[in-house]
Amino acid sequence: MPILVTKDLKLPSPPAIALRILEAVKKNDASFSDLARIIEVDPALTAKILKVANSSFYSMASQVNTIEKALSVLGLNVTKNIALSFVIAKELVVPVDGGFDFNSFWKRAVTSAVSAELLAARLSYRNDDLFVSALLQDIGVLILYLCRSDEYRQVLDEKRVSGRPILDIEQRIFGFDHQEVGAELLLEWGLPTTFADTIRHHHDSEGCPEKLRMQVDLLHWSSMLTSIYFGSRSVEMGLQLKAEICPRFKIKEEAIDLLIDMVAEKSVEILSFFEIDSGDMKPFSLLLQDANEELRRINLSYEQLVMQAKQARKKAEELATELLEANVKLREMAFRDGLTGLYNYRYFQELMDREVSRSKRHHLGLSLMLFDIDHFKDVNDTYGHPAGDQVLRNLAELVQSTMRISDIVVRYGGEEFAVILPSTDLPGCKVFATRLRRRVEEMETVVSGMSIRVTISIGVTGYDTAQNSLEKAVMIKTADSALYAAKNRGRNRVEVELLPA
């Protein structure tokens, strides 16, 4: 799976200073001064690390005023991880584009990291990598959005409306999920494999190696703690957290209540070091008090509250469904050709990416046809452009009535069309192309009493599962070459060209 992830997505390169930090700590003879020199090159990073070292999060007995002292007091690993946290977060902060709230993402990520550290301390568990692991546990979501924004908006819309697990939706649309993407990114960036292994299983502790079980559980609980402050089921999350932790570790529920409040207090402080606005983040106990005061002020009965909640929920579900339908229509409009109603060139490129990926992943055949109308300029010159438009519309209908449900036809541009045939070998595609050519030859378009007949030239290529490689650009180029061969050899014919070995 990791190989497929890297082929399907262009993963961002690691920040240069992160690489230097990682390379320094990998050396057996690495000293505090070596790492300090790398960090001190960046004054802003240095200031942030010193702020964290002197914060209530670590409660140092004396002032930490140099990176070397931070290294000696906190340790090499902790300081390295604090530095990496700041560097990676800074690198992947992107301006809000209306489809994804990057500020909210990082606010939740930092809160998860703080939650994991506080939980670990309460459970007497020590792991220097925990803060970074929790911070980056959902980094795959960010990468998927940055690399495939249109499709990931679809994931988010479906999640909001259906409530289905986001991993299931990602698997259906991409063939992999954000856990795998996050793990692969950290491996690409050269972080220790324990980071990747932990993140790869943070939604599935049952499938993780036993040695990582506690780390994965802590990430799971940190996510629940974060949902108390940023989710819509705060009370439910708090009860579930207590149910999972208290019996297992013999901890009283009151201790968890105190921990939940402490998460807010510490998160506000750490968020300020990341230069992220914490908003009106208050301890959960205060939020409950405020909510109770508001209920008393409004003086609503229990029955009224239930009725209002039901009505609000129904209205929200209706609005969410309408929004999802509207988004689907907008996507359709963006991907449709206005004249023929077929998918357009933009959709063709995205679909080819998906089908090429699917064919390689599942070892399935894939064929591609490119064809255009012979001497179409003569049709426009002789009968006029409205007549030419009618020919294009009729041809589009004919192709759709000829092909299988699984095949996709697009208007590639002008009088040129493309047909993608999933799970189809080259001989099968040639049979279809020949049948289509004959049907077009028999097609008649009547405009203002005038009969118009056209022919098409078709170029065909296909991927055989026995071949070693399949690349979208090569496949399109090969089909295009076959099309030109058909035109050069007299038109109204089918030419087949094999993909290069």
Side-chain angles (χ1 to χ4, degrees), residues 180-228:
E180 296 166 281
V181 174
E184 186 61 20
L185 176 75
L186 299 190
L187 287 175
E188 285 274 308
W189 283 11
L191 270 73
T193 55
T194 51
F195 283 103
D197 291 340
T198 304
I199 286 173
R200 196 185 301 280
H201 296 285
H202 75 276
H203 285 298
D204 178 27
S205 61
E206 295 302 316
C208 78
E210 190 59 38
K211 64 180 181 180
L212 297 176
R213 179 63 61 88
M214 187 61 177
Q215 280 177 256
V216 170
D217 284 345
L218 281 165
L219 294 199
H220 165 64
W221 294 326
S222 75
S223 182
M224 291 173 66
L225 262 167
T226 301
S227 294
I228 290 173

Side-chain angles (χ1 to χ4, degrees), residues 377-394:
K377 184 177 183 301
D378 293 344
V379 173
N380 282 330
D381 291 346
T382 304
Y383 301 101
H385 287 279
D389 289 347
Q390 189 57 50
V391 170
L392 292 172
R393 283 192 286 266
N394 288 354

Side-chain angles (χ1 to χ4, degrees), residues 9-295:
L9 299 173
K10 182 173 171 44
L11 298 177
S13 301
I17 192 168
L19 278 178
R20 291 199 295 274
I21 291 170
L22 288 167
E23 287 167 2
V25 297
K26 282 178 184 176
K27 295 176 182 175
N28 293 329
D29 59 346
S31 65
F32 287 172
S33 59
D34 291 335
L35 185 56
R37 278 195 295 272
I38 294 170
I39 293 172
E40 286 168 350
V41 168
D42 187 333
L45 177 60
T46 301
K48 288 176 180 178
I49 292 172
L50 293 179
K51 281 181 182 178
V52 173
N54 288 300
S55 71
S56 63
F57 200 66
Y58 288 106
S59 302
M60 291 295 160
S62 60
Q63 183 80 4
V64 178
N65 48 26
T66 67
I67 294 297
E68 280 208 52
K69 186 170 182 182
L71 285 161
S72 65
V73 174
L74 298 176
L76 189 70
N77 262 341
V78 172
T79 309
K80 171 205 72 176
N81 288 336
I82 294 171
L84 288 176
S85 300
F86 283 124
V87 171
I88 293 171
K90 180 183 177 183
E91 184 74 9
L92 293 177
V93 169
V94 182
V96 176
D97 70 348
F100 190 90
D101 191 340
F102 291 91
N103 187 68
S104 177
F105 173 88
W106 283 112
K107 193 186 295 185
R108 291 185 68 118
V110 172
T111 304
S112 289
V114 171
S115 299
E117 284 283 345
L118 292 175
L119 266 170
R122 184 64 185 80
L123 302 177
S124 302
Y125 176 79
R126 173 69 187 272
N127 186 296
D128 291 343
D129 296 336
L130 192 58
F131 187 92
V132 178
S133 296
L135 181 79
L136 303 180
Q137 61 181 303
D138 288 318
I139 195 71
V141 169
L142 197 60
I143 300 304
L144 277 170
Y145 183 82
L146 291 173
C147 294
R148 306 270 281 274
S149 57
D150 285 340
E151 289 157 283
Y152 210 77
R153 284 192 188 99
Q154 185 181 343
V155 172
L156 297 175
D157 287 344
E158 190 170 329
K159 167 68 176 171
R160 275 192 291 269
V161 173
S162 70
R164 288 180 58 209
I166 199 164
L167 295 185
D168 293 351
I169 303 171
E170 290 169 345
Q171 284 285 354
R172 181 176 60 78
I173 292 178
F174 299 110
F176 47 81
D177 57 53
H178 71 266
Q179 295 179 123
E180 296 166 281
V181 174
E184 186 61 20
L185 176 75
L186 299 190
L187 287 175
E188 285 274 308
W189 283 11
L191 270 73
T193 55
T194 51
F195 283 103
D197 291 340
T198 304
I199 286 173
R200 196 185 301 280
H201 296 285
H202 75 276
H203 285 298
D204 178 27
S205 61
E206 295 302 316
C208 78
E210 190 59 38
K211 64 180 181 180
L212 297 176
R213 179 63 61 88
M214 187 61 177
Q215 280 177 256
V216 170
D217 284 345
L218 281 165
L219 294 199
H220 165 64
W221 294 326
S222 75
S223 182
M224 291 173 66
L225 262 167
T226 301
S227 294
I228 290 173
Y229 287 101
F230 299 105
S232 58
R233 299 181 298 153
S234 301
V235 175
E236 182 184 336
M237 284 292 107
L239 292 173
Q240 186 178 338
L241 184 70
K242 292 173 185 176
E244 292 186 18
I245 292 178
C246 293
R248 179 172 165 183
F249 296 96
K250 307 287 190 295
I251 295 176
K252 291 183 179 180
E253 291 191 358
E254 290 78 6
I256 299 298
D257 289 331
L258 290 173
L259 183 71
I260 293 171
D261 279 358
M262 195 182 299
V263 165
E265 295 167 6
K266 300 295 184 186
S267 293
V268 169
E269 184 179 15
I270 300 300
L271 282 165
S272 70
F273 302 149
F274 280 85
E275 298 174 358
I276 296 171
D277 182 12
S278 61
D280 189 25
M281 191 175 184
K282 294 189 289 188
F284 188 61
S285 59
L286 291 181
L287 293 176
L288 288 177
Q289 286 178 21
D290 291 347
N292 288 331
E293 284 295 325
E294 184 67 12
L295 286 175

Side-chain angles (χ1 to χ4, degrees), residues 150 328-337 344 346-347:
D150 285 340
V328 169
K329 287 178 182 177
L330 285 172
R331 288 193 190 98
E332 280 286 303
M333 290 171 63
F335 289 133
R336 291 286 183 180
D337 170 52
N344 58 22
R346 177 185 173 190
Y347 185 79

Side-chain angles (χ1 to χ4, degrees), residues 322-354:
E322 289 174 10
L323 178 62
L324 182 59
E325 290 172 354
N327 284 338
V328 169
K329 287 178 182 177
L330 285 172
R331 288 193 190 98
E332 280 286 303
M333 290 171 63
F335 289 133
R336 291 286 183 180
D337 170 52
L339 177 64
T340 63
L342 299 178
Y343 287 115
N344 58 22
Y345 177 82
R346 177 185 173 190
Y347 185 79
F348 169 79
Q349 293 294 337
E350 291 197 9
L351 186 63
M352 278 294 289
D353 283 329
R354 289 205 297 270

